[in-house]
Amino acid sequence: MSEAKRALVIVAHPDDAEFLCGGTVARWVSEGWEVAFVLVTSGDKGSHDEEITSERLAAIREDEERAAASALGVSECVFLGHPDGFVEDTAELRGKIVREIRRFKPDVAITWDPYRRGHNHRDHRLTGQAALDALYPLSRSHLYYPEHMDEGLEPHRVREALLAGTDRPNHHVDVSKFFGKKMKALQCHKSQMSRYGFGEVRKRVRQRMAEVGKEAGFKLAEAFHRIEWG
């Protein structure tokens, strides 16, 4: 029996993964995959409530993310603790991501598409760029971040990345049977859903997934730009 596949989702904020690839994650988990999340920030600026502090909001959103990940069957969530809105593509951030790649050893990674045309949230752009550089070449050679070897973390090759939030999709995942799981996970993000009303969010998400699915001949789909390395 072949060993279960592993996927690492590297995103900027709580609720990014659920919006971008919640159906894909639910499908993979149903097929026996192990999936983990890495979040660069804890979403500590995602509120218009003038009474709340960044520290309190971060704690709320981390709890919401853990609940959402559990609803999808995700094995763990790692929060890197960078401030929301101030992500920088630094050697330190790339090293933190490399460490999680070497620790979890995924076959596939999902992250934001940093090359998407038009303006995009800076945290999305810079998280995607840092993640891609961490995936290739940094996680592959012992000469990058050699201190990880002291922790017993060996270099690791990830041969495939799926870029989410892309405007150049070349890979579609049929998630027609997993819309309910995706929405159950999104509903865990109460601090964010209350702004719009969950019914409206559900309507818009389904409409978008139907549009993406139509491109590939599926009822509902999520789309990515797929990159493969040797």
Side-chain angles (χ1 to χ4, degrees):
M1 186 173 179
S2 61
E3 189 175 342
K5 294 191 75 173
R6 299 163 73 85
L8 191 63
V9 180
I10 306 163
V11 290
H13 311 105
D15 81 20
D16 283 358
E18 289 73 39
F19 274 115
L20 292 171
C21 58
T24 299
V25 169
R27 175 171 178 155
W28 285 347
V29 170
S30 78
E31 294 172 351
W33 290 43
E34 184 177 357
V35 183
F37 287 174
V38 173
L39 294 98
V40 173
T41 85
S42 296
D44 57 279
K45 302 295 190 294
S47 176
H48 296 296
D49 180 356
E50 295 183 1
E51 301 299 317
I52 201 165
T53 65
S54 288
E55 292 75 17
R56 282 176 53 209
L57 183 59
I60 289 168
R61 296 201 68 190
E62 286 187 8
D63 284 345
E64 290 174 346
E65 181 55 51
R66 291 188 187 98
S70 178
L72 292 172
V74 170
S75 62
E76 65 174 315
C77 292
V78 176
F79 298 92
L80 299 185
H82 290 251
D84 187 354
F86 295 91
V87 172
E88 299 292 346
D89 180 8
T90 63
E92 178 192 10
L93 175 57
R94 293 190 294 274
K96 288 179 180 180
I97 297 172
V98 167
R99 184 180 183 278
E100 296 308 317
I101 293 167
R102 289 173 172 171
R103 186 177 68 83
F104 190 71
K105 302 189 184 314
D107 299 284
V108 182
I110 296 178
T111 192
W112 279 102
D113 184 349
Y115 309 119
R116 175 178 166 178
R117 291 164 293 191
H119 186 67
N120 196 6
H121 193 301
R122 61 171 284 111
D123 289 352
H124 299 171
R125 296 195 312 269
L126 296 174
T127 293
Q129 187 63 67
L132 277 179
D133 290 337
L135 290 161
Y136 181 87
L138 302 179
S139 63
R140 295 178 160 217
S141 171
H142 69 285
L143 296 176
Y144 295 114
Y145 303 100
E147 63 272 19
H148 293 166
M149 300 286 282
D150 297 334
E151 300 179 61
L153 300 177
E154 300 287 340
H156 179 70
R157 285 176 171 262
V158 181
R159 299 186 183 277
E160 179 181 354
L162 301 180
L163 304 186
T166 186
D167 59 355
R168 303 166 299 135
N170 62 5
H171 181 72
H172 294 74
V173 178
D174 181 0
V175 295
S176 304
K177 297 180 181 178
F178 299 96
F179 179 73
K181 281 269 191 183
K182 180 183 177 95
M183 297 315 299
K184 183 178 179 182
L186 278 169
Q187 198 165 13
C188 294
H189 294 283
K190 293 181 174 62
S191 67
Q192 307 304 298
M193 296 302 113
S194 60
R195 296 190 205 178
Y196 314 105
F198 186 68
E200 182 62 23
V201 171
R202 182 184 181 91
K203 176 183 173 183
R204 291 187 181 186
V205 169
R206 187 178 187 90
Q207 181 179 11
R208 177 57 185 154
M209 292 173 70
E211 291 170 355
V212 172
K214 189 175 181 180
E215 299 168 3
F218 303 134
K219 182 179 177 182
L220 299 174
E222 291 172 341
F224 307 91
H225 186 82
R226 185 183 188 187
I227 294 175
E228 294 182 275
W229 298 290

